Amino acid sequence: MKRTRSQTNIVHVLKSLNHPISAQDLYVEMKNRDLGLGLATVYRNLEALKLEGEVQVRQLPSGEAVYSLVHQDQHHLTCVNCGQSFPIDQCPVHDLEEKLEISHRFKVYYHTLEFFGLCHLCQSGE
């Protein structure tokens, strides 16, 4: 699949950041690097890259969407009180993903797994 120059620039910036970023913050980051694109163009290209399986999107508890390159599946513990997310390394559904690909003839690009609750600081009332 051939990427546009805008898509190539977005992938390059996401790779250099190595952490999820909102479309608005990506727009500002690209502007700061003299790779200015309009905000609508950033959104449109993120959507195209998502449909190709290059970019993944995750909804934060605040409702904000953050984007990152698809390099590995993401798993988090997210506190419903303070909104902090803690990445976890274990993947209890990896085998299920492989079975679903076979049984449903479905190509999985990535998956997310998120548990919601209270972090230790919010549990102790701090």
Side-chain angles (χ1 to χ4, degrees), residues 6-7 10 14 21-28 30 37-51 55 57 59 63-67:
S6 297
Q7 290 171 348
I10 287 172
L14 288 174
I21 187 171
S22 70
Q24 292 89 348
D25 290 344
L26 179 59
Y27 162 76
V28 170
M30 295 191 74
L37 297 174
L39 185 57
T41 303
V42 170
Y43 274 107
R44 189 171 48 253
N45 283 287
L46 283 170
E47 183 64 19
L49 289 165
K50 182 184 84 173
L51 292 175
V55 167
V57 62
Q59 294 291 129
E64 183 177 40
V66 291
Y67 299 84

Side-chain angles (χ1 to χ4, degrees), residues 58 60-62 76-87 114-122 126:
R58 177 173 170 248
L60 299 179
S62 65
H76 296 86
L77 300 172
T78 300
C79 181
V80 295
N81 187 50
C82 69
Q84 207 172 2
S85 279
F86 307 92
E114 195 154 8
F115 296 93
F116 296 90
L118 291 176
C119 69
H120 70 282
L121 290 176
C122 290
E126 293 180 23

Side-chain angles (χ1 to χ4, degrees), residues 6-120:
S6 297
Q7 290 171 348
T8 300
N9 287 339
I10 287 172
V11 167
H12 178 72
V13 172
L14 288 174
K15 193 178 290 186
S16 71
L17 294 174
N18 201 25
H19 63 80
I21 187 171
S22 70
Q24 292 89 348
D25 290 344
L26 179 59
Y27 162 76
V28 170
E29 183 68 29
M30 295 191 74
K31 196 172 181 179
N32 290 342
R33 296 181 186 205
D34 293 324
L35 299 170
L37 297 174
L39 185 57
T41 303
V42 170
Y43 274 107
R44 189 171 48 253
N45 283 287
L46 283 170
E47 183 64 19
L49 289 165
K50 182 184 84 173
L51 292 175
E52 292 174 6
E54 294 290 320
V55 167
Q56 64 191 42
V57 62
R58 177 173 170 248
Q59 294 291 129
L60 299 179
S62 65
E64 183 177 40
V66 291
Y67 299 84
S68 60
L69 293 181
V70 174
H71 46 41
Q72 63 185 18
D73 299 319
Q74 296 184 1
H75 310 96
H76 296 86
L77 300 172
T78 300
C79 181
V80 295
N81 187 50
C82 69
Q84 207 172 2
S85 279
F86 307 92
I88 55 176
D89 294 329
Q90 299 96 330
C91 179
V93 297
H94 183 72
D95 291 340
L96 174 62
E97 178 181 301
E98 291 175 353
K99 289 176 184 169
L100 291 173
E101 280 194 338
I102 294 167
S103 66
H104 289 79
R105 296 191 323 240
F106 186 88
K107 176 63 182 148
V108 176
Y109 289 146
Y110 67 92
H111 71 261
T112 60
L113 179 63
E114 195 154 8
F115 296 93
F116 296 90
L118 291 176
C119 69
H120 70 282

